[in-house]
Structures are given as C-alpha cells and as structure tokens.
C-alpha cells in the first residue's frame, strides 16, 4: 500500500463550511468529496441512490410480470380470452418488453459508470 501524503489547500472559510455541510448531508468525508470530485467518480451517496433505484425498478417489473402470469392463468382456466382482451394483453406485453429493454440499457450504462469508478 502506498504511503498517504497531505495536501494543503487554501479556501475561504465560508466555502469550507459549505463543503462540510454538503458532506454531512451526503454522509461522506471531506476527503472523499474532494477526491471523488477531482477524479470524476460517482460519490458514495449517489452510488447508493442508483442501487436503490435499480432495486426498486426490479421490484416493479416483478409485480408486473406476476400480474401477467395471473391474467394468463385466468385465461388458461377459462380456456377462452376474447379477441379484444388478447389484443390489449399483447399490446401491454410488447410495451413491457420495450420498457425492459430500455431499462436494461440504462442499467448497463449505470453499471459501466460504477465499474469505471474504481
């Protein structure tokens, strides 16, 4: 492990206080704020927010997929589904598939950012 060194910088007192307040709200150290900002990294609090978003999205899609399965089970139990209901159901399935593709592209970009970060 490489030896750490100190860097001294001069800033106005009000700026330092502003940075410290920002760190307090983000629950990170001033050192982390400065290093991550200079090195264009995603801050730890932003990373947590992103991961929470991903988890929430995944839960939403699970609920939707569960509803689709319930509709399919009902249709199979009745051995009948009207043309209108089938058409609507197909449109919804296509929309969900498109949204899932878009979501996966966003997730890929997010994961790439996070991976490049460390």
């Amino acid at each position: 492990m490489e030896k750490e060194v100190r860097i001294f910088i001069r800033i106005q007192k009000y700026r330092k206080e502003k940075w410290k307040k920002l760190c307090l709200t983000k629950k990170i150290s001033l050192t982390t704020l400065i290093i991550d900002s200079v090195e264009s990294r995603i801050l730890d609090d932003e990373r947590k927010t992103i991961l929470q978003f991903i988890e929430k999205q995944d839960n939403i899609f699970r609920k939707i997929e569960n509803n689709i399965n319930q509709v399919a089970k009902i249709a199979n139990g009745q051995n009948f589904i009207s043309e209108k209901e089938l058409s609507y159901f197909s449109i919804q399935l296509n929309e969900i598939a498109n949204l899932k593709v878009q979501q996966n592209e966003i997730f890929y970009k997010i994961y790439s950012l996070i991976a490049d970060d460390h």
Side-chain angles (χ1 to χ4, degrees), residues 40-99:
S40 300
R41 291 185 182 171
I42 295 175
L43 299 174
D44 287 341
D45 69 310
E46 293 169 336
R47 184 178 288 103
K48 288 176 189 172
T49 302
I50 289 168
L51 293 174
Q52 288 172 346
F53 169 77
I54 291 170
E55 190 174 305
K56 183 178 177 183
Q57 288 297 105
D58 193 44
N59 290 337
I60 290 170
F61 274 102
R62 266 193 231 126
K63 288 178 184 178
I64 292 169
E65 290 164 356
N66 188 38
N67 289 343
I68 290 169
N69 289 335
Q70 289 175 353
V71 170
K73 187 182 280 188
I74 291 168
N76 286 336
Q78 294 176 352
N79 291 326
F80 175 77
I81 187 166
S82 72
E83 186 73 33
K84 183 178 177 183
E85 289 171 331
L86 182 60
S87 175
Y88 178 74
F89 188 69
S90 294
I91 291 168
Q92 296 301 317
L93 283 176
N94 286 333
E95 182 64 26
I96 289 168
N98 290 335
L99 289 172

Side-chain angles (χ1 to χ4, degrees), residues 30-45:
L30 187 54
T31 301
T32 299
L33 174 70
I34 294 169
I35 291 172
D36 289 354
S37 297
V38 169
E39 293 181 359
S40 300
R41 291 185 182 171
I42 295 175
L43 299 174
D44 287 341
D45 69 310

Side-chain angles (χ1 to χ4, degrees), residues 4-54:
E4 293 185 3
V5 296
R6 291 181 180 256
I7 297 176
F8 295 97
I9 60 172
R10 294 176 199 253
I11 59 171
Q12 295 87 4
K13 186 172 180 146
Y14 80 90
R15 182 169 282 153
K16 180 181 177 185
E17 294 305 316
K18 184 178 172 183
W19 289 4
K20 287 172 81 175
K21 284 180 186 177
L22 179 64
C23 291
L24 188 63
T25 59
K26 291 182 172 286
K27 298 179 182 158
I28 59 175
S29 70
L30 187 54
T31 301
T32 299
L33 174 70
I34 294 169
I35 291 172
D36 289 354
S37 297
V38 169
E39 293 181 359
S40 300
R41 291 185 182 171
I42 295 175
L43 299 174
D44 287 341
D45 69 310
E46 293 169 336
R47 184 178 288 103
K48 288 176 189 172
T49 302
I50 289 168
L51 293 174
Q52 288 172 346
F53 169 77
I54 291 170

